[in-house]
């Protein structure tokens, strides 16, 4: 999943945001946990709006 968060308020914040692209991918167990949380708590209310 990718997302753009516009509105950096400083050069330092823009650099930190750009540096996040160099981080390693999240482990599959984390992705599975996020999907499970979404499925249990939000999917029914929002999924059909995408």
């Amino acid at each position: 999943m990718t997302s753009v968060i516009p509105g950096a308020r400083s050069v330092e914040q823009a650099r930190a945001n750009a540096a996040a692209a160099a981080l390693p991918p999240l482990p599959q167990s984390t992705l599975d946990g996020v999907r499970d949380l979404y499925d249990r708590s939000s999917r029914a209310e929002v999924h059909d709006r995408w």
Side-chain angles (χ1 to χ4, degrees):
M1 178 173 104
T2 60
S3 178
V4 174
I5 303 173
R9 295 184 182 261
S10 67
V11 172
E12 294 84 17
Q13 186 179 19
R15 286 185 180 134
N17 290 350
L23 294 173
L26 293 172
Q28 189 61 49
S29 61
T30 300
L31 297 174
D32 292 344
V34 170
R35 180 174 297 275
D36 180 57
L37 178 63
Y38 170 75
D39 287 346
R40 288 184 291 113
S41 64
S42 302
R43 178 182 277 278
E45 290 82 22
V46 301
H47 193 75
D48 62 335
R49 298 179 186 193
W50 297 51

